[in-house]
Amino acid sequence: MIFERGSPGRTSFFWPERREAPAEIPSRLLRREIPGFPEVGELEVMRHYTTLSQRNYAIERQFYPLGSCTMKYNPRLNEAVARLPGFAQLHPLAPAELIQGALELMHELESMLAEISGMDAVTLQPAAGAQGELTGLMIIRAYLSQKGNPRKKVIVPDTAHGTNPASSTLCGYDVLQIGSNERGMIEPGELERLMTEEAAALMITNPNTLGIFDENIQKIATVVHAKGGLVYLDGANMNALMGIAKPGDMGVDVLHINLHKTFSTPHGGGGPGAGPVAVKETLAEFLPVPRVVKTETGFSLDEDLPLSVGRVRSFFGNFGILVRAYAYIISLGADGLEDVSRTALLNANYLRKRLEGHFHLAYSEPCMHECVFTDRLQQKYGVHTLDIAKRLLDYGFHPPTVYFPLVVAGALMIEPTETETRETLDAFAEAMIAIAREAKENPELVKNAPYTTPVRRLDEARAARRPVLRWEEPRRDGDERQEGKA
Amino acid sequence: MIFERGSPGRTSFFWPERREAPAEIPSRLLRREIPGFPEVGELEVMRHYTTLSQRNYAIERQFYPLGSCTMKYNPRLNEAVARLPGFAQLHPLAPAELIQGALELMHELESMLAEISGMDAVTLQPAAGAQGELTGLMIIRAYLSQKGNPRKKVIVPDTAHGTNPASSTLCGYDVLQIGSNERGMIEPGELERLMTEEAAALMITNPNTLGIFDENIQKIATVVHAKGGLVYLDGANMNALMGIAKPGDMGVDVLHINLHKTFSTPHGGGGPGAGPVAVKETLAEFLPVPRVVKTETGFSLDEDLPLSVGRVRSFFGNFGILVRAYAYIISLGADGLEDVSRTALLNANYLRKRLEGHFHLAYSEPCMHECVFTDRLQQKYGVHTLDIAKRLLDYGFHPPTVYFPLVVAGALMIEPTETETRETLDAFAEAMIAIAREAKENPELVKNAPYTTPVRRLDEARAARRPVLRWEEPRRDGDERQEGKA
Amino acid sequence: MRYTPHTEADRRQMLDAIGLSAIEEVFAHVPEELRARARIRLAEGLSEVQVKKRLSALAARNATPGEWSFFLGAGIYHHFIPSTVDAIISRGEFATSYTPYQPEVSQGTLQAIYEFQTLWCQLTGMEVANAGLYDGASAAAEAVLMARRVQQGRRRIVLSRALHPQYRSVISTYLKNLPGVELIEAGFDETGASDAEALARAVDDRTICVVVGYPNFFGVIEDLAPVQELCSRHGSLLIAVTTEALSLGLLKPPGEWGADIAAGEGQSLGVPMSLGGPGYGFFACRKKFLRSMPGRVVGETVDSEGRRGFVLTLSTREQHIRREKATSNICTNQNLCGLASTVFMATLGKSGLRRLAEINAAVAHETCARLVREAGLTRLFAGPFFNEFVLRVDDLEQRLSRLRADKIIAGLPLARWYPELRDSLLVCVTEMNEREEIEQLVKSLTRR
Amino acid sequence: MRYTPHTEADRRQMLDAIGLSAIEEVFAHVPEELRARARIRLAEGLSEVQVKKRLSALAARNATPGEWSFFLGAGIYHHFIPSTVDAIISRGEFATSYTPYQPEVSQGTLQAIYEFQTLWCQLTGMEVANAGLYDGASAAAEAVLMARRVQQGRRRIVLSRALHPQYRSVISTYLKNLPGVELIEAGFDETGASDAEALARAVDDRTICVVVGYPNFFGVIEDLAPVQELCSRHGSLLIAVTTEALSLGLLKPPGEWGADIAAGEGQSLGVPMSLGGPGYGFFACRKKFLRSMPGRVVGETVDSEGRRGFVLTLSTREQHIRREKATSNICTNQNLCGLASTVFMATLGKSGLRRLAEINAAVAHETCARLVREAGLTRLFAGPFFNEFVLRVDDLEQRLSRLRADKIIAGLPLARWYPELRDSLLVCVTEMNEREEIEQLVKSLTRR
Ligand SMILES: Cc1ncc(COP(=O)(O)O)c(C=O)c1O
Ligand SMILES: Cc1ncc(COP(=O)(O)O)c(C=O)c1O
């Protein structure tokens, strides 16, 4: 712990000039020193965080088949270009003529995303998928309000990601859940029953979180539209669709895209990402401000959109992430992007094939970019999904997403992505198969895993019961400051 | 092994344009494909080398007290500035007016090194310390030749680094070894005996590899000069001298400086470094060409020095390393550099004090920036320096330099450097003391160490007896290409 | 193909294993009409060299502090970032890991977040902090939403008009679709602080919370004592919102003023400006609101062998467990920027952070004094400030465009956001503005 | 103080432990006269911001391929470096480790070197390779020194005059103090290759070795068959020296020609030009010379549990063991640049390396053809070339300075190093020279 290192008075800050706080600031407004704040040297900083980093799993270390997360390779090239001073050192309030390159990049990225998704207009402002959802729902609400009635509900499938219902609530809608049928899809009949004039939108994920492409998507859109509602697509799974099907052709009115998934910006241990929202022409006037517009002489910013939902974030969103996604798209080009989805599908289907028989497959439908297994075959030995996940760690692999989607008991949701080799998929499959064997022959081994990780199973119940959320200075100061503590 | 990964035909190279080799090159001059060459994807490359890196010890991970190596913190700032395109992308044969910034940097670095060492002129061309030695000796030889007789021998103390005698040989000199007295210094009487008109130079290290400052240095220089010889100082230990004593004042005529030690450029697992050579005015005309000279309008290159020893390396030496050293020197400034040596001495003396009694101290003289212990106290339990070194690995520390200098049996040569904290020194001392205790109480434990490293003791004899110096394609191709192999 | 490693043989072998003859068969069930129209009409892929060239060309058409003198703040600040920061955050182990759902192999990220939470508690003087939100504006909005949750039955939300205008916009966007909320703005006085009387008029017993900038948009360091007193009289929560996080190295922290929630933008502390994003929102509050907090939280626990370890905790608040009842919809946040800040704070440390804040205040005051004394400009507001201040400048637009010709952006004209503040310029001076730049600014604003 | 972590209290405590009252007492035994004069007269230290500013200002005064068109090679080449390279070599675990003397905790570096050795064996077609030397020139010198060691009793060393002039200088510097060596240069013919007759005249039975550039300084790909034949007739060693390592992706490797030693500069493969350094020297030879080789070597072995591992080996050749009898004085080499090359080669791989080499040859030939056809220039030499060629250009200096005004450096005038080659220009074209640059070059050299 950084607070347990160092020595009082130590710092890595070196600034020859010494300045006092100006007397004009009344001392009443000033703080005393910050108790417990770090006091370490520069080498200590480097060592501490380098050491911490080595206690992490990462794509650059090994396979990371987290379903719904699209953990593909994040090209180092994109990291390099995002760090160009002409991007990294821009002030967002600089006059538009001084940031023409940035505006052009954003403008072009908007068109590229529109082309890829088959939509008409895009905002890059949302900071992540969930904020994209909120923005998209707000657009729907604004549109319906303008038509006279914002309506009350949003229909959300039971397979949806948790952000979908949460965003609906935040947008002032009640959530109406719709179940999936035995093929993992929405039953058009059931939808017809639920889709009333109370419902503002259907929020659908396609392929959904089961990795299944809903073949009825066009029919579904027709049902929604017939009742005056709109179709929102959670585009987190765009990695399955490029060059295969465009949401814009499916009858989708609004969607968000996770640049930190399909467009390969690094996850960073939980962000930053970006969640652009794409809409059909009729909804364009509701997009957040400012909009980047092309003029005769270049690009400018339009704040003056009376129907806009307003701002969802300060400035322009996560611009640095947009730069990376832009670099990714122009690197791959049309062919490359199409190859991404095809290969993602190939990898998922290959892995599915290899694991079939060893694990129970939740649905027998063909899968797209991910597939969902369960622990049903292992339960009889007392081995559960969590145990399988932990045991995988001992094999050097990150487990799939577990216990999601919620509709599948004991789900193991595997998304290999297109950047993995056949050899890696084979090695992962072999580890899974070995665990299936262990579950049968030596269940205790699996149930007590992991054994080889920096720490073993952590007491999560205790963490939640008696939350300790920050480091506190120990009573007897100084004693704890020792080398060797991580 | 990178060769064991991948799949035939795989590559990470993407270049849309396809070009054939021109027909003008006769096919007789062309090669067939390179058997065994890597065929991997970009993510495989990143994973392979990231994984390898984690099998390394490094300063940014932990304490690295290798005596004579000055393993101090390598500021990340210097890495950043060396990568500026205006340095990294320069072609050495660009006309001088297009590289004025680089020439100014080199010119200024030369003066700064001259000031720090108390010398008059500097060449930055040598690529490392050993090449600096060779250059320095060539300068001595050229000078003496010009005076009529290059002479035959170079006197080298028995404590000297191996490069000193090796460089002497390479410069066409025979080596005359001089012993150290019981204080670890050169006996002026003994020197007087050996220093004849056959001897071109004395090659001395001060402080020497025992960490001892030879108090008689001025007298020694007088003896050498009296016989028409010159004094060469191995400046690898400049980290002990900044602001404490200038070689130029000691009577030294030539010295080299390891920028990758005192001036903190990273070691990179064995280089690149840089070994500038500094000389007194009388020797300046013998320095290698080209020389950077200041003119009225800027800086230019002078190739026209008839007495120069010539070129020892192509172009300007390791320019990228020079940039880092320059950044380091201006970062620290005069005060900072003086503080470096004082703190290096403090740390070494502190550690010496803490270990005294637990390990046998080779010399009781006060030490400068490093100190030498031995395994004498542990030998009676059958525990040797090598065992102590390996056991330290289990405690998470890199061992000191071992079995060097050769004059000390079972040497453990410890150089903590100035960038280490007291807490780290204490933790290291405690580990050493614990090992001393283990040596007494459980010698087998120590003799079989290490236990916790990625591999255990390696069979070095076998490696030397039946050298396998390259990977070869296994007979049955393909089988070995598996994920999981490091 | 770029980044997809398979060779033709690999593909063939895999298809064989699946029992298919072409990859297209995998998605044959996707309706034909969709497939037929799915081709992407974009250019072909580019080599690394071409991509770098294209991006460098775009980057070159943007003005950076290297060639231009910027005196812009207003929510995004140009500050020193030690080299340690990028060295750490560009490590693949941090940059290419996911949200730490498997704690056994995510202790690096988890501990770093735990340190981050601690640092923010220390900096704000609050009891608990989360792992970060999108940005300052949405963090302010989340603070208001949380206040609404814990103040059931109340409806009014009072925003100081001296709060960053974009933050007010975002709060209003976030709230506008929620039932039973009333958003009211209270003006500022001649010191540039929130107007005490306006606030007193606005706050009543049905007021959920009062949101004040600290320092506010005009750079003014508000005295929070009276606001806090007003809030506690009406049972309203005090939310202090900071856009310039560095100021907290010097100023009395919100927690000591008695704020209930401290939120804001963390970019100042180790994150490049990057056209305003990615940065991150910080969020800290009283412990009693813990289970109403938005966003991710890391807690300390032990493993099965009793060793200290860290886990994501209290996730029953979050969308992936609670879905429509979650405290927020946030999932992916801005973690790597939070790590940058953690490394920044560790590098500067206790004394360094204060010294950097002092330097900022000192150079900003000195510059302000010179602009008043030498350039004859007047300060619009009398209140104490940190590193930003507002000047009245006649013929503002004209003078600004003259300055622009000298590659100086002297500040932000306020009229765009405050129509009542014509000819007013918000000037920000940080440690990154060199002496000569300031000299130049004073000179240019002096000569008429 | 910068980078020294101690506080006053730390220093005090440590001095107390040592039993001293001031740090100066630690070096009280250093003679007073020395101490008195030891103060360093340099400026005070600078902040990171100031250092960056200073270095950026210096860097800005150098011309880079971003703004200028360079057609310079002659030993240092501007090539594509994939982003993987810097990502790996800037990892602290590689960059801040020492020479791998403790193999148990240095397997990363050791295995990387082992891979490097293998790659160089593959590339050169030789049996063994070392871990690298300083640069191409000193590697050539070390090759000659090794030849001298294994060819005891012989004295003559024959250098092709078409070998890089700086390499010839360095060889001569390295050899000039050694007894019993005679250095002879043999000229080149009208194809630009080493003159067969001159060589035949120079080589005798006392000849240690013949050193030939491959490709040579004029870019010409020498046919090594006759030279090899000549050497083997006289029992001399053939040393093939490559300055443009990328060419080995396309050309028949020295080993296949029967060379005894292949040495040269590795910069082309993944190392930035950096004003000519750091790069590294590669060195490969026949297995039978193994124990005479200079430099570090890594070998495969097993640990006490039988696992594969790597160690530095055959160190009885080296200075730290053999001192004055060592095969070379080299200690620190250029390891991190070797790692860069290893990552470069792994990234390009078998097909990528060849394709990049093909692209180079293609664009260079195309440019050459256009300069002949459209600009009416003539090739000075008729021999086949890789990516460099020599043109005769009348009024060379004048035309070069006119081109310089257009920010074009059209090549290297050879007269400086070959007085006999007036008005001759060595032109290098690589994959980094953009189409427009080449267009511009042709145009500028066409209009008179
Ligand atoms: C299907 C789906 N929808 C929405 C999200 C939310 O996106 P974000 O985490 O970017 O807010 C995710 C990812 O976490 C997801 O997988
Ligand atoms: C005392 C001494 N002299 C000379 C050298 C040789 O320097 P280099 O390794 O840079 O060639 C070293 C370091 O290895 C050394 O410690």
Side-chain angles (χ1 to χ4, degrees), chain A residues 19 28 49 97 270 309, chain C residues 115 135 176 223 333 366 404:
Chain A
R19 303 298 297 261
R28 202 167 39 83
Y49 293 104
E97 62 270 31
V309 297
Chain C
E115 293 182 2
D135 70 336
K176 81 172 148 222
D223 181 344
N333 64 8
E366 191 178 283
R404 211 177 290 173

Side-chain angles (χ1 to χ4, degrees), chain A residues 68 128-130 133 161 163 205 209 234 236 256 258 260-261, chain C residues 98 331-332:
Chain A
S68 206
E133 295 169 15
H161 193 265
T163 48
T205 308
T209 59
D234 178 334
H256 79 263
N258 299 57
H260 46 301
K261 299 187 177 185
Chain C
Y98 201 73
C331 176
T332 295

Side-chain angles (χ1 to χ4, degrees), chain B residues 1-2 4 11-12 15 17-19 22 28-29 31-34 36-38 48-49 52-53 55-60 64 69 71 75-76 83 85-86 88-91 97-99 101-102 104 108 115 130-131 138 141 160 162-163 167 169-171 218 244 246 249 266-271 303 309 311 313-315 318-320 326 330-331 333-335 338-339 342-343 347 349 390 419-420 456-457 459 464 468-471 486, chain D residues 1 3-6 11 14 23-24 26 33 35 37-41 43-46 51 54 58 61-65 73 76 86 90-99 102 104-105 107-109 111 114-115 117-118 122-123 135 166 173-174 176-178 223 248 250-252 256 273-275 277-278 290-291 299-305 308 313 319 323-324 329 333-336 347-350 354-355 365-366 404 416 435:
Chain B
M1 195 86 69
I2 195 74
E4 292 163 353
T11 174
S12 322
W15 200 277
E17 202 181 7
R18 283 213 164 256
R19 303 298 297 262
R28 200 170 39 83
L29 300 180
R31 77 180 306 156
R32 285 154 304 170
E33 75 162 38
I34 312 175
F37 217 66
H48 179 70
Y49 294 103
L52 275 192
S53 79
R55 293 162 71 91
N56 255 14
Y57 198 96
I59 310 178
E60 283 187 1
Y64 218 137
C69 299
M71 294 297 281
R76 280 285 177 172
R83 284 167 169 80
Q89 297 193 18
L90 303 189
H91 196 286
E97 64 270 31
L98 299 190
I99 51 169
E104 176 170 342
E108 207 185 322
E115 167 59 25
Q131 206 180 31
M138 282 176 173
R141 190 174 183 115
T163 50
S167 299
T169 304
L170 193 50
C171 194
Q218 291 151 299
I244 291 174
K246 289 185 180 175
D249 296 330
H267 280 256
E303 301 256 9
V309 297
R311 271 194 173 278
R313 195 204 179 281
S314 54
F315 310 111
N318 283 338
F319 176 72
Y326 177 91
I330 67 171
S331 288
D335 278 22
E338 294 183 5
D339 178 58
R342 282 168 160 73
T343 309
N347 282 2
N349 279 279
K390 298 303 180 195
T419 57
E420 296 297 334
R456 297 191 55 195
R457 281 199 207 191
D459 189 344
V468 180
L469 308 182
R470 57 163 294 188
W471 176 87
Chain D
M1 271 296 171
Y3 305 134
T4 47
H6 299 330
R11 284 180 204 271
M14 293 171 74
I23 179 68
E24 283 66 26
V26 170
E33 317 89 84
R35 282 184 281 128
R37 306 191 48 193
R39 298 284 339 223
I40 295 172
R41 286 153 307 174
E44 293 298 281
L46 301 177
V51 172
R54 169 77 182 134
L58 286 170
R61 283 171 42 228
N62 301 317
T64 58
I76 292 293
D86 199 53
S90 56
R91 286 182 62 82
E93 292 92 327
F94 280 131
T96 74
S97 61
Y98 201 73
T99 304
Q102 293 291 339
E104 295 85 351
V105 291
Q107 287 298 303
T109 295
Q111 183 176 329
Y114 188 80
E115 293 182 2
Q117 291 171 181
T118 304
Q122 294 170 336
L123 213 49
D135 70 336
Q166 292 199 352
T173 307
Y174 265 74
K176 83 171 145 221
N177 303 315
L178 299 181
D223 182 342
L248 298 179
L250 181 63
L251 304 185
K252 185 160 159 175
E256 282 185 33
M273 297 187 289
S274 193
L275 205 72
L290 193 55
R291 289 173 202 270
E300 186 183 319
T301 187
V302 292
D303 78 352
S304 57
E305 294 175 5
R308 177 166 77 179
T313 191
Q319 46 74 29
R323 301 178 73 83
E324 63 270 21
N329 69 334
N333 65 9
Q334 310 271 121
N335 187 67
L336 203 65
T347 305
L348 270 73
K350 191 187 274 188
R354 185 172 191 108
R355 283 195 53 211
H365 279 77
E366 191 179 283
R404 212 177 291 172
R416 174 175 157 203
R435 208 164 267 288

